Amino acid sequence: MDHVDALRSELLSAVTEAGDLAGLEGVRVAALGRKGRVTQLMKGLGTMSPEERKQAGAALNALKSEVASAIELRKAELSQADIDARLMAERVDVSLPARPEREGFIHPISQTIDEVVAIFGEMGFTVAEGPDIEDDWHNFTALNMPLEHPARQEHDTFYLPSAAEGERMVLRTHTSPVQIRTMQAEKPPIRIIVPGRAYRCDSDATHSPMFHQVEGLLVDRATHMGHLKGCLIEFCRTYFGVDDLPVRFRPSYFPFTEPSAEVDIGATREGGEFRIGHGDEWLEILGSGMVNPAVLENCGIDSTVYQGFAFGMGLERIAMLKYGIPDIRTFFESDLRWLRHFGFVPLDIPSLVTGTG
Ligand code: PHE
């Protein structure tokens, strides 16, 4: 049986010395494979006398299982080493700073959208979207502004060249058409906000031909003006971070709301600069009202059962007031010095817990 002992130590050291999984597989085939050395020896058992066979058979079986379990053990070690090596090679140090040559900032409009979404999100509003290129019906008619309505003139609309069939598409002049699209697609209760681009042919320090608005729409059975007021007062105080910010609702007119109100917030003018808070100035920041029953009916919602409120505000405007940005046109000049000054650090994600700016 000496040759079995010799083979045992030879095979076991070959197993230990195998440096990778492929090498180990080679050792296994050479020992236990169909033509492996242990297998060959076992084939020889048939030529032995019963007495010899009993002894040799037991020894070879022991050898076989010893070698097999040594291989399994080594295999587990090598697989673990394989994983360790890959983990080391593919390691990412998450504590490293962002690539210094690519320092980036969040644009104040993106930041403002995140802040507004965080605040209304906490009140249960979800974000909806619609197309920038609209048809006349969604942008005007369904919002209770038929063709001859004078309010259309105030919108300084950009018209696209008319299609062959005669319909002229427009760049939406406000985010209100998404009210229509949402009410057509969903059944009440509805509670959405719509941050997005709007377009009007106008440009000066407070007007840009492309700008951003956030629309709000809530439709339910017993919605009333008190809900509108509570929601918007809460928004203004949270967004501007002033707990007792004075908020004023001033009667106004929009074809798609009845009654309508514009919302002003309190401010002071100190040394020529506006400060949000108590004072004798008022700053208009948004338009709002109860959804006109005619608009509900245009969308197939029964206005004898449902009522709603809606609002719309300019995002550049509220960003300018909060962050002291003097000219709306600078938002879209892509001047890196401006972005470095007014931009936000990417990981400062606004929330009601960490603060909204
Ligand atoms: N769409 C209006 C605008 O652009 C704002 C508004 C929206 C007013 C919803 C009332 C209700 O001026």
Side-chain angles (χ1 to χ4, degrees), residues 221-247:
R221 285 173 192 269
T223 312
H224 56 69
M225 198 76 188
H227 295 133
L228 178 156
K229 289 184 72 179
C231 172
L232 292 177
I233 292 172
E234 190 60 31
F235 168 77
C236 292
R237 294 185 171 165
T238 310
Y239 175 76
F240 289 103
V242 180
D243 283 348
D244 58 349
L245 181 65
V247 179

Side-chain angles (χ1 to χ4, degrees), residues 273-334:
E273 247 188 55
F274 271 117
R275 264 244 320 274
I276 310 292
H278 285 272
D280 25 296
E281 303 275 348
W282 291 101
L283 293 171
E284 180 195 320
I285 62 159
L286 65 95
S288 68
M290 299 306 294
V291 179
N292 193 316
V295 174
L296 294 174
E297 297 293 341
N298 287 340
C299 303
I301 293 179
D302 186 345
S303 65
T304 63
V305 178
Y306 291 103
Q307 315 196 82
F309 70 75
F311 56 88
M313 85 188 117
L315 288 170
E316 285 82 2
R317 179 162 173 77
I318 61 169
M320 287 162 79
L321 291 171
K322 182 165 171 178
Y323 298 116
I325 302 173
D327 189 324
I328 192 173
R329 291 166 297 196
T330 57
F331 279 80
F332 310 112
E333 283 170 353
S334 302

Side-chain angles (χ1 to χ4, degrees), residues 102-179:
R102 290 269 196 88
E103 220 171 73
F105 291 92
I106 301 296
H107 193 282
I109 274 301
S110 306
Q111 178 79 11
T112 303
I113 290 176
D114 289 349
E115 291 173 12
V116 168
V117 168
I119 297 169
F120 284 114
E122 202 73 21
M123 297 187 206
F125 287 80
T126 54
V127 172
E129 284 179 328
D132 287 18
I133 297 175
E134 262 301 0
D135 55 58
D136 186 276
W137 190 80
H138 285 93
N139 194 80
F140 293 119
T141 309
L143 287 159
N144 204 29
M145 282 186 270
L147 258 183
E148 67 289 355
H149 200 287
R152 283 189 176 219
Q153 262 106 66
E154 287 164 29
H155 278 222
D156 305 308
T157 312
F158 285 113
Y159 289 94
L160 272 74
S162 35
E165 311 82 61
E167 217 214 330
R168 262 203 308 182
M169 301 292 275
V170 301
L171 292 181
R172 67 179 180 197
T173 57
H174 48 182
T175 43
S176 302
V178 186
Q179 285 190 36

